[in-house]
Coordinates of all heavy atoms in Angstrom, one line a residue:
M1 N 43.5 -36.1 43.0 CA 42.8 -37.4 42.7 C 43.6 -38.2 41.7 O 44.1 -37.7 40.7 CB 41.4 -37.1 42.2 CG 40.6 -38.3 41.8 SD 39.0 -38.2 42.5 CE 38.2 -39.6 41.7
G2 N 43.6 -39.5 41.9 CA 44.3 -40.4 41.0 C 43.7 -40.6 39.6 O 42.6 -40.1 39.4
K3 N 44.4 -41.3 38.8 CA 43.9 -41.5 37.4 C 42.7 -42.4 37.5 O 42.6 -43.3 38.3 CB 45.0 -42.2 36.6 CG 44.7 -42.4 35.2 CD 45.9 -43.1 34.5 CE 45.7 -43.4 33.1 NZ 44.5 -44.1 32.8
A4 N 41.7 -42.1 36.6 CA 40.5 -42.9 36.6 C 40.8 -44.4 36.2 O 41.7 -44.6 35.4 CB 39.5 -42.3 35.5
I5 N 40.1 -45.3 36.7 CA 40.3 -46.7 36.5 C 39.6 -47.1 35.2 O 40.1 -47.8 34.4 CB 39.7 -47.6 37.6 CG1 40.6 -47.3 38.9 CG2 39.7 -49.0 37.3 CD1 40.0 -47.9 40.1
L6 N 38.4 -46.5 35.0 CA 37.6 -46.9 33.8 C 37.9 -46.0 32.6 O 38.1 -44.8 32.7 CB 36.1 -46.7 34.2 CG 35.5 -47.5 35.3 CD1 34.0 -47.2 35.5 CD2 35.7 -49.0 35.0
T7 N 37.8 -46.6 31.4 CA 37.8 -45.8 30.2 C 36.5 -45.2 30.1 O 35.5 -45.6 30.8 CB 38.1 -46.7 29.0 OG1 37.0 -47.6 28.8 CG2 39.4 -47.5 29.1
R8 N 36.4 -44.2 29.2 CA 35.1 -43.6 28.9 C 34.0 -44.6 28.6 O 32.9 -44.6 29.1 CB 35.2 -42.5 27.8 CG 34.0 -41.7 27.6 CD 34.2 -40.7 26.4 NE 34.6 -41.3 25.2 CZ 33.8 -41.9 24.4 NH1 32.5 -42.0 24.6 NH2 34.2 -42.5 23.2
R9 N 34.3 -45.5 27.7 CA 33.3 -46.6 27.3 C 32.9 -47.5 28.4 O 31.8 -47.8 28.6 CB 33.9 -47.4 26.1 CG 33.0 -48.4 25.6 CD 31.7 -47.8 25.1 NE 31.7 -47.7 23.7 CZ 30.8 -47.0 23.0 NH1 29.8 -46.4 23.6 NH2 30.9 -46.9 21.7
E10 N 33.9 -47.9 29.2 CA 33.6 -48.8 30.4 C 32.7 -48.0 31.3 O 31.7 -48.6 31.9 CB 34.9 -49.2 31.1 CG 35.7 -50.2 30.3 CD 37.2 -50.3 30.8 OE1 37.6 -49.6 31.7 OE2 37.8 -51.3 30.3
K11 N 32.9 -46.7 31.5 CA 32.1 -46.0 32.4 C 30.6 -45.9 31.9 O 29.7 -46.1 32.6 CB 32.6 -44.6 32.7 CG 31.7 -43.7 33.6 CD 32.5 -42.6 34.2 CE 31.6 -41.7 35.1 NZ 30.4 -42.2 35.6
E12 N 30.5 -45.7 30.6 CA 29.2 -45.7 29.9 C 28.5 -47.0 30.2 O 27.3 -47.0 30.5 CB 29.3 -45.5 28.4 CG 29.7 -44.1 28.0 CD 29.9 -44.0 26.5 OE1 30.4 -44.9 25.9 OE2 29.6 -42.9 26.0
I13 N 29.2 -48.1 30.0 CA 28.6 -49.4 30.2 C 28.2 -49.6 31.6 O 27.0 -50.0 31.9 CB 29.5 -50.5 29.7 CG1 29.6 -50.4 28.2 CG2 29.1 -51.9 30.2 CD1 30.7 -51.3 27.6
F14 N 29.0 -49.3 32.6 CA 28.6 -49.5 34.0 C 27.6 -48.6 34.5 O 26.7 -48.9 35.3 CB 29.9 -49.5 34.9 CG 30.5 -50.9 35.0 CD1 31.4 -51.3 34.1 CD2 30.1 -51.8 36.0 CE1 32.0 -52.6 34.1 CE2 30.7 -53.0 36.1 CZ 31.6 -53.4 35.1
D15 N 27.5 -47.3 33.9 CA 26.5 -46.4 34.2 C 25.1 -47.0 33.8 O 24.1 -46.8 34.5 CB 26.7 -45.0 33.6 CG 27.7 -44.2 34.4 OD1 28.0 -44.5 35.6 OD2 28.3 -43.3 33.8
L16 N 25.1 -47.7 32.6 CA 23.9 -48.3 32.2 C 23.6 -49.6 32.9 O 22.4 -49.9 33.2 CB 24.0 -48.6 30.7 CG 24.0 -47.3 29.8 CD1 24.4 -47.7 28.4 CD2 22.6 -46.7 29.8
L17 N 24.6 -50.3 33.3 CA 24.4 -51.6 34.0 C 23.7 -51.3 35.4 O 22.9 -52.1 35.7 CB 25.8 -52.2 34.2 CG 25.9 -53.7 34.5 CD1 25.3 -54.4 33.3 CD2 27.4 -54.1 34.7
I18 N 24.1 -50.2 36.0 CA 23.5 -50.0 37.3 C 22.1 -49.4 37.2 O 21.4 -49.3 38.2 CB 24.4 -49.1 38.2 CG1 24.6 -47.7 37.6 CG2 25.7 -49.7 38.6 CD1 25.3 -46.7 38.5
T19 N 21.6 -49.2 36.0 CA 20.2 -48.8 35.8 C 19.4 -50.0 35.4 O 18.3 -49.9 34.9 CB 20.0 -47.7 34.8 OG1 20.5 -48.1 33.5 CG2 20.8 -46.4 35.2
N20 N 20.0 -51.2 35.6 CA 19.3 -52.5 35.4 C 19.1 -52.8 33.9 O 18.2 -53.5 33.6 CB 18.0 -52.5 36.2 CG 17.7 -53.9 36.6 OD1 18.6 -54.8 36.7 ND2 16.4 -54.2 36.9
K21 N 20.0 -52.2 33.1 CA 19.9 -52.5 31.7 C 20.6 -53.9 31.4 O 21.6 -54.2 32.0 CB 20.6 -51.4 30.8 CG 20.0 -50.1 30.9 CD 18.9 -49.9 29.9 CE 18.4 -48.5 29.8 NZ 17.3 -48.3 30.8
S22 N 20.1 -54.6 30.5 CA 20.7 -55.9 30.1 C 21.8 -55.7 29.1 O 22.0 -54.6 28.6 CB 19.6 -56.8 29.4 OG 19.3 -56.2 28.1
T23 N 22.6 -56.7 28.9 CA 23.8 -56.6 28.0 C 23.3 -56.2 26.6 O 23.8 -55.3 26.0 CB 24.5 -58.0 27.9 OG1 24.9 -58.3 29.2 CG2 25.7 -57.9 27.0
K24 N 22.2 -56.8 26.2 CA 21.6 -56.5 24.9 C 21.1 -55.0 24.8 O 21.4 -54.3 23.8 CB 20.4 -57.4 24.6 CG 19.8 -57.3 23.3 CD 18.7 -58.2 23.0 CE 18.0 -58.0 21.7 NZ 18.2 -59.1 20.8
E25 N 20.5 -54.5 25.9 CA 20.0 -53.1 25.9 C 21.2 -52.2 25.8 O 21.1 -51.1 25.1 CB 19.2 -52.9 27.1 CG 17.8 -53.5 27.1 CD 17.1 -53.5 28.5 OE1 17.7 -53.6 29.5 OE2 15.8 -53.3 28.4
I26 N 22.2 -52.5 26.6 CA 23.4 -51.6 26.6 C 24.1 -51.6 25.2 O 24.4 -50.6 24.7 CB 24.5 -52.1 27.6 CG1 23.9 -51.9 29.0 CG2 25.8 -51.4 27.5 CD1 24.7 -52.6 30.1
A27 N 24.2 -52.8 24.6 CA 24.8 -52.9 23.2 C 24.0 -52.1 22.2 O 24.6 -51.3 21.4 CB 24.8 -54.4 22.8
T28 N 22.7 -52.2 22.3 CA 21.8 -51.4 21.4 C 22.0 -49.9 21.6 O 22.1 -49.2 20.6 CB 20.3 -51.9 21.6 OG1 20.2 -53.3 21.3 CG2 19.4 -51.1 20.6
K29 N 21.9 -49.5 22.8 CA 22.0 -48.1 23.1 C 23.3 -47.5 22.7 O 23.4 -46.4 22.2 CB 21.8 -47.9 24.6 CG 21.8 -46.4 25.0 CD 21.1 -46.2 26.4 CE 21.2 -44.8 26.9 NZ 20.5 -43.8 26.0
L30 N 24.4 -48.2 22.8 CA 25.7 -47.7 22.5 C 26.2 -48.0 21.1 O 27.2 -47.6 20.6 CB 26.8 -48.3 23.5 CG 26.6 -47.9 25.0 CD1 27.7 -48.5 25.8 CD2 26.6 -46.3 25.1
G31 N 25.4 -48.8 20.4 CA 25.7 -49.2 19.0 C 26.9 -50.1 18.8 O 27.6 -50.0 17.9
I32 N 27.0 -51.0 19.8 CA 28.1 -52.0 19.8 C 27.5 -53.4 20.0 O 26.3 -53.5 20.3 CB 29.2 -51.7 20.9 CG1 28.6 -51.7 22.3 CG2 29.9 -50.4 20.5 CD1 29.6 -51.4 23.4
S33 N 28.3 -54.4 19.8 CA 27.8 -55.8 19.9 C 27.7 -56.2 21.4 O 28.4 -55.6 22.2 CB 28.7 -56.8 19.2 OG 29.9 -57.0 19.9
E34 N 26.9 -57.2 21.7 CA 26.8 -57.7 23.0 C 28.1 -58.3 23.5 O 28.5 -58.1 24.6 CB 25.7 -58.8 23.1 CG 24.3 -58.3 23.0 CD 23.2 -59.4 23.0 OE1 23.2 -60.1 24.0 OE2 22.5 -59.5 22.0
K35 N 28.8 -58.9 22.5 CA 30.2 -59.4 22.9 C 31.1 -58.3 23.3 O 31.8 -58.5 24.3 CB 30.7 -60.2 21.7 CG 32.1 -60.8 22.0 CD 32.5 -61.9 21.0 CE 33.8 -62.5 21.3 NZ 34.4 -62.4 22.6
T36 N 31.1 -57.2 22.7 CA 31.9 -56.1 23.0 C 31.6 -55.6 24.4 O 32.4 -55.3 25.3 CB 31.8 -54.9 22.0 OG1 32.2 -55.4 20.7 CG2 32.7 -53.7 22.4
V37 N 30.2 -55.5 24.7 CA 29.8 -55.1 26.1 C 30.4 -56.1 27.1 O 30.9 -55.7 28.1 CB 28.3 -55.0 26.2 CG1 27.8 -54.8 27.6 CG2 27.7 -54.0 25.3
R38 N 30.2 -57.4 26.8 CA 30.7 -58.4 27.8 C 32.2 -58.3 27.9 O 32.8 -58.4 29.1 CB 30.3 -59.8 27.3 CG 28.8 -60.1 27.6 CD 28.5 -61.6 27.4 NE 28.7 -62.0 26.1 CZ 27.8 -62.0 25.1 NH1 26.6 -61.5 25.3 NH2 28.1 -62.4 23.9
N39 N 32.9 -58.0 26.8 CA 34.4 -57.9 26.9 C 34.8 -56.7 27.8 O 35.7 -56.8 28.6 CB 35.0 -57.7 25.5 CG 35.0 -58.9 24.7 OD1 34.9 -60.0 25.2 ND2 35.2 -58.8 23.4
H40 N 34.1 -55.6 27.7 CA 34.4 -54.4 28.5 C 34.1 -54.7 30.0 O 34.9 -54.4 30.8 CB 33.5 -53.2 28.1 CG 34.0 -52.5 26.9 ND1 35.2 -51.9 26.8 CD2 33.4 -52.2 25.7 CE1 35.4 -51.3 25.6 NE2 34.2 -51.5 24.9
I41 N 33.0 -55.4 30.3 CA 32.7 -55.8 31.6 C 33.8 -56.7 32.2 O 34.3 -56.5 33.3 CB 31.3 -56.4 31.7 CG1 30.2 -55.3 31.4 CG2 31.0 -57.0 33.1 CD1 28.8 -55.8 31.2
S42 N 34.2 -57.7 31.4 CA 35.2 -58.6 31.8 C 36.6 -57.9 32.1 O 37.2 -58.2 33.1 CB 35.5 -59.7 30.7 OG 34.4 -60.5 30.6
N43 N 36.9 -56.9 31.2 CA 38.1 -56.2 31.4 C 38.1 -55.4 32.7 O 39.1 -55.4 33.4 CB 38.3 -55.2 30.2 CG 38.7 -55.9 28.9 OD1 39.1 -57.0 28.9 ND2 38.5 -55.2 27.8
V44 N 37.0 -54.8 33.0 CA 36.8 -54.1 34.3 C 37.0 -55.0 35.5 O 37.7 -54.7 36.4 CB 35.5 -53.3 34.4 CG1 35.3 -52.7 35.8 CG2 35.5 -52.2 33.3
M45 N 36.3 -56.2 35.4 CA 36.4 -57.2 36.5 C 37.9 -57.6 36.7 O 38.3 -57.7 37.8 CB 35.5 -58.4 36.3 CG 34.0 -58.0 36.3 SD 32.8 -59.4 36.2 CE 33.5 -60.4 35.0
Q46 N 38.6 -57.8 35.6 CA 40.0 -58.2 35.7 C 40.8 -57.0 36.3 O 41.7 -57.3 37.2 CB 40.5 -58.5 34.3 CG 41.6 -59.4 34.2 CD 41.9 -60.0 32.8 OE1 41.4 -59.4 31.8 NE2 42.6 -61.0 32.8
K47 N 40.6 -55.8 35.9 CA 41.3 -54.6 36.4 C 41.1 -54.6 37.9 O 42.1 -54.2 38.7 CB 40.8 -53.3 35.8 CG 41.3 -53.0 34.5 CD 40.8 -51.5 34.2 CE 40.6 -51.3 32.7 NZ 40.1 -49.9 32.4
L48 N 39.9 -54.8 38.4 CA 39.6 -54.7 39.8 C 39.9 -56.0 40.6 O 39.9 -55.9 41.8 CB 38.1 -54.4 40.0 CG 37.6 -53.1 39.4 CD1 36.1 -53.1 39.4 CD2 38.2 -51.9 40.2
G49 N 40.2 -57.1 39.9 CA 40.5 -58.3 40.6 C 39.2 -58.9 41.3 O 39.3 -59.5 42.4
V50 N 38.1 -58.8 40.7 CA 36.8 -59.3 41.2 C 36.2 -60.3 40.3 O 36.4 -60.3 39.1 CB 35.8 -58.2 41.6 CG1 36.4 -57.2 42.6 CG2 35.4 -57.4 40.4
K51 N 35.3 -61.1 40.8 CA 34.5 -62.0 40.0 C 33.1 -61.6 40.1 O 32.5 -61.4 41.1 CB 34.6 -63.5 40.6 CG 36.0 -64.1 40.4 CD 36.0 -65.6 40.7 CE 37.3 -66.3 40.7 NZ 38.3 -65.8 39.7
G52 N 32.5 -61.4 38.9 CA 31.1 -61.0 38.9 C 30.9 -59.5 38.7 O 31.6 -58.7 39.2
R53 N 29.8 -59.2 38.0 CA 29.4 -57.8 37.8 C 29.1 -57.1 39.0 O 29.4 -55.9 39.2 CB 28.2 -57.8 36.8 CG 28.5 -58.3 35.5 CD 27.3 -58.4 34.6 NE 27.6 -58.9 33.3 CZ 26.9 -58.6 32.2 NH1 25.7 -58.0 32.3 NH2 27.2 -59.1 31.0
A54 N 28.3 -57.8 39.9 CA 27.9 -57.1 41.2 C 29.1 -56.7 42.0 O 29.1 -55.5 42.5 CB 27.0 -58.1 42.0
C55 N 30.1 -57.5 42.1 CA 31.3 -57.2 42.8 C 32.0 -56.0 42.2 O 32.6 -55.1 42.9 CB 32.3 -58.4 42.9 SG 31.6 -59.7 44.0
A56 N 32.1 -56.0 40.9 CA 32.7 -54.9 40.1 C 32.0 -53.6 40.4 O 32.6 -52.6 40.7 CB 32.7 -55.2 38.6
V57 N 30.6 -53.6 40.4 CA 29.8 -52.4 40.7 C 30.1 -51.9 42.1 O 30.4 -50.7 42.3 CB 28.3 -52.7 40.5 CG1 27.5 -51.6 41.1 CG2 28.0 -52.9 39.0
I58 N 30.2 -52.8 43.1 CA 30.5 -52.4 44.5 C 31.8 -51.8 44.6 O 32.0 -50.7 45.2 CB 30.4 -53.6 45.4 CG1 28.9 -54.1 45.5 CG2 30.9 -53.3 46.8 CD1 28.7 -55.4 46.1
E59 N 32.8 -52.4 44.0 CA 34.2 -51.8 44.0 C 34.2 -50.4 43.3 O 34.9 -49.5 43.8 CB 35.2 -52.7 43.3 CG 35.6 -53.9 44.2 CD 36.2 -53.5 45.5 OE1 37.1 -52.6 45.6 OE2 35.7 -54.1 46.5
L60 N 33.6 -50.3 42.2 CA 33.6 -49.0 41.4 C 32.9 -47.9 42.2 O 33.3 -46.8 42.2 CB 32.9 -49.2 40.1 CG 33.7 -50.0 39.1 CD1 32.9 -50.3 37.9 CD2 35.0 -49.4 38.7
I61 N 31.9 -48.3 43.0 CA 31.2 -47.3 43.9 C 32.1 -46.9 45.0 O 32.3 -45.7 45.3 CB 29.9 -47.8 44.4 CG1 28.8 -48.0 43.3 CG2 29.3 -46.9 45.5 CD1 27.6 -48.8 43.6
K62 N 32.8 -47.9 45.6 CA 33.8 -47.6 46.7 C 34.9 -46.7 46.2 O 35.3 -45.8 46.9 CB 34.4 -48.9 47.2 CG 33.5 -49.7 48.1 CD 34.3 -50.9 48.6 CE 33.5 -51.9 49.3 NZ 34.3 -53.1 49.5
L63 N 35.3 -46.9 44.9 CA 36.4 -46.1 44.4 C 35.9 -44.8 43.8 O 36.7 -44.0 43.2 CB 37.1 -46.9 43.3 CG 37.8 -48.2 43.7 CD1 38.2 -49.1 42.6 CD2 39.1 -47.8 44.5
K64 N 34.6 -44.5 43.9 CA 34.0 -43.3 43.4 C 34.1 -43.2 41.9 O 34.2 -42.1 41.3 CB 34.5 -42.1 44.1 CG 34.2 -42.1 45.6 CD 34.6 -40.8 46.2 CE 34.2 -40.6 47.7 NZ 33.9 -41.8 48.5
E65 N 34.2 -44.3 41.2 CA 34.2 -44.3 39.7 C 32.8 -44.2 39.1 O 32.7 -43.6 38.1 CB 34.9 -45.6 39.2 CG 36.4 -45.7 39.4 CD 37.1 -44.8 38.4 OE1 36.8 -44.8 37.2 OE2 38.2 -44.3 38.8
I66 N 31.9 -44.7 39.8 CA 30.5 -44.6 39.4 C 29.6 -44.2 40.7 O 30.1 -44.5 41.8 CB 29.9 -45.9 38.8 CG1 30.0 -47.1 39.7 CG2 30.6 -46.1 37.4 CD1 29.3 -48.3 39.2
T67 N 28.5 -43.7 40.5 CA 27.6 -43.4 41.6 C 26.2 -43.9 41.2 O 25.8 -44.0 40.1 CB 27.4 -41.9 41.8 OG1 27.1 -41.2 40.6 CG2 28.8 -41.3 42.3
L68 N 25.5 -44.3 42.3 CA 24.1 -44.8 42.1 C 23.1 -43.7 41.9 O 23.3 -42.6 42.4 CB 23.7 -45.6 43.3 CG 24.4 -47.0 43.4 CD1 23.9 -47.7 44.7 CD2 24.1 -47.9 42.2

């Protein structure tokens, strides 16, 4: 299997994102700022070459980086 696309933190964020948590809820749970959460999400979207969180989630599921 190839190298993981997501960092540990990005995976934590997307695992929470797919449970319908808001940016604020994710930030609070992980003890980081909302801006940091948004930055991580943006970085993942850039890595995947997609626009929008939903597209990122779909790609990550296809790549078996996250599961529902």
